[in-house]
Amino acid sequence: GESVGLHLPTLSVQEGDNSIINCAYSNSASDYFIWYKQESGKGPQFIIDIRSNMDKRQGQRVTVLLNKTVKHLSLQIAATQPGDSAVYFCAENWAGGGNKLTFGTGTQLKVEL
Amino acid sequence: KAGVTQTPRYLIKTRGQQVTLSCSPISGHRSVSWYQQTPGQGLQFLFEYFSETQRNKGNFPGRFSGRQFSNSRSEMNVSTLELGDSALYLCASTPTGGVGEKLFFGSGTQLSVL
């Protein structure tokens, strides 16, 4: 039968605007979360991470927010640039699972000039 | 410091054949993980190796196997290829594979099964 690909949510933003990418994670026992960026033809690139004992962490132009109550993670990108166009994945891990990441389905970010 | 290196970059095989993919981790990294990425299933964990031992395994059939050498380089093998094995296979490495260590990914091997 025909293979149906995952429908990636798409977020389109204007250059210079702030972007917010959301992710719902599945395991309430997860204690480590990461955001990755994947450009076409490349492997995922680490952006920022956060542990479950924190609810916010900031990097350069990026902020990750964690809401454990509703199992929600978000990535905020300030002053979005054309080079930010990519697919963004959240991933979760928990101490009992070893070094095994469970990835979300991804969000396609398109930056319009 | 060189990143994670995967070879070959592209592969075309036919059903029933087998294939071996190679991964060289970042120097000093001892944990190597493999992931399969497809449009239908997204990114899925295959297995992880540390000190030449498989330490963790995902939900894939036994046709998927791997190994790690004493220099931490890793190979994965897929036997009796099926059309559904067409995917981007990604390798990632970390220093020890502990939770909280950042996984650094290679660019992947794009496998097409005809």
Side-chain angles (χ1 to χ4, degrees):
Chain A
E2 181 180 356
S3 173
V4 178
L6 285 171
H7 173 68
L8 282 184
T10 298
L11 175 65
S12 294
V13 300
Q14 294 289 322
E15 182 181 5
D17 287 351
N18 296 335
S19 303
I20 299 176
I21 301 172
N22 296 303
C23 174
Y25 64 90
S26 58
N27 188 351
S28 56
S30 290
D31 48 21
Y32 178 60
F33 305 87
I34 316 106
W35 280 98
Y36 281 94
K37 169 187 179 183
Q38 188 174 26
E39 297 173 286
S40 181
K42 297 183 179 180
Q45 176 187 355
F46 173 88
I47 301 173
I48 192 168
D49 57 359
I50 189 168
R51 294 186 180 273
S52 59
N53 60 353
M54 303 172 68
D55 52 23
K56 181 180 180 178
R57 190 168 188 217
Q58 290 183 288
Q60 188 175 12
R61 279 201 310 120
V62 294
T63 300
V64 55
L65 299 177
L66 173 63
N67 185 330
K68 295 182 288 295
T69 302
V70 295
K71 292 191 290 185
H72 183 267
L73 199 64
S74 68
L75 176 70
Q76 301 177 1
I77 304 173
T80 312
Q81 303 168 358
D84 295 327
S85 293
V87 177
Y88 289 79
F89 294 96
C90 65
E92 60 186 293
N93 196 2
W94 65 292
N99 188 21
K100 170 186 173 182
L101 293 181
T102 300
F103 282 84
T105 54
T107 296
Q108 174 81 55
L109 176 64
K110 295 184 178 180
V111 181
E112 299 170 348
L113 302 178
Chain B
K1 202 180 236 188
V4 177
T5 304
Q6 291 188 247
T7 58
R9 187 73 179 89
Y10 302 95
L11 263 180
I12 300 175
K13 293 286 187 178
T14 56
R15 278 184 303 174
Q17 287 186 312
Q18 75 165 12
V19 66
T20 299
L21 313 181
S22 180
C23 172
S24 293
I26 292 171
S27 178
H29 286 193
R30 296 169 60 197
S31 167
V32 174
S33 301
W34 289 89
Y35 288 78
Q36 181 197 63
Q37 185 174 27
T38 61
Q41 300 296 323
L43 275 152
Q44 292 188 294
F45 174 81
L46 279 157
F47 28 65
E48 183 221 358
Y49 286 87
F50 179 78
S51 291
E52 302 177 64
T53 301
Q54 186 180 88
R55 192 161 62 174
N56 211 342
K57 189 176 188 303
N59 296 323
F60 279 82
R63 299 185 298 106
F64 291 81
S65 63
R67 60 178 177 168
Q68 186 181 35
F69 302 95
S70 58
N71 61 358
S72 295
R73 192 177 69 84
S74 176
E75 290 181 346
M76 68 163 282
N77 184 76
V78 188
S79 62
T80 319
L81 284 166
E82 300 177 0
L83 296 179
D85 297 333
S86 294
L88 179 66
Y89 290 89
L90 292 158
C91 169
S93 74
T94 70
T96 68
V99 174
E101 289 185 351
K102 303 174 183 59
L103 264 70
F104 293 91
F105 284 86
S107 293
T109 294
Q110 183 68 55
L111 172 65
S112 297
V113 182
L114 306 178

